Amino acid sequence: IRVHRSAIIRRDRIRAYSRGAFASLTAILDTGAEVRVGRTYERLIRSEIREQALASEAKQPERGSMR
């Protein structure tokens, strides 16, 4: 996935996102490397985060459904 005009990273290598100075978004990779997300790509990354969150919620069993 392209996150900056000079950076393309693999989705499966992204471990987290963080907010940097001046509200810039940074992708944290499984190696510990930090890659700045360009303003142009922030909307795409936000939708990726949202989709991942929805997918992980769908995988979790509902509480109280077992008796």
Side-chain angles (χ1 to χ4, degrees):
I1 184 168
R2 184 173 291 277
V3 294
H4 195 275
R5 67 181 184 175
S6 63
I8 298 174
I9 55 179
R10 289 178 33 184
R11 282 185 180 98
D12 62 335
R13 303 296 287 224
I14 300 170
R15 292 294 166 240
Y17 294 96
S18 69
R19 279 273 165 213
F22 306 108
S24 64
L25 189 63
T26 301
I28 302 170
L29 307 182
D30 58 355
T31 61
E34 296 183 2
V35 181
R36 186 176 174 277
V37 176
R39 290 183 314 205
T40 307
Y41 303 98
E42 272 195 48
R43 184 176 293 153
L44 174 66
I45 296 301
R46 287 182 195 279
S47 68
E48 290 273 332
I49 294 169
R50 198 171 301 118
E51 288 175 18
Q52 287 175 357
L54 291 174
S56 66
E57 286 178 9
K59 289 181 184 177
Q60 295 176 357
E62 291 184 32
R63 291 184 177 177
S65 62
M66 298 178 72
R67 291 183 179 225

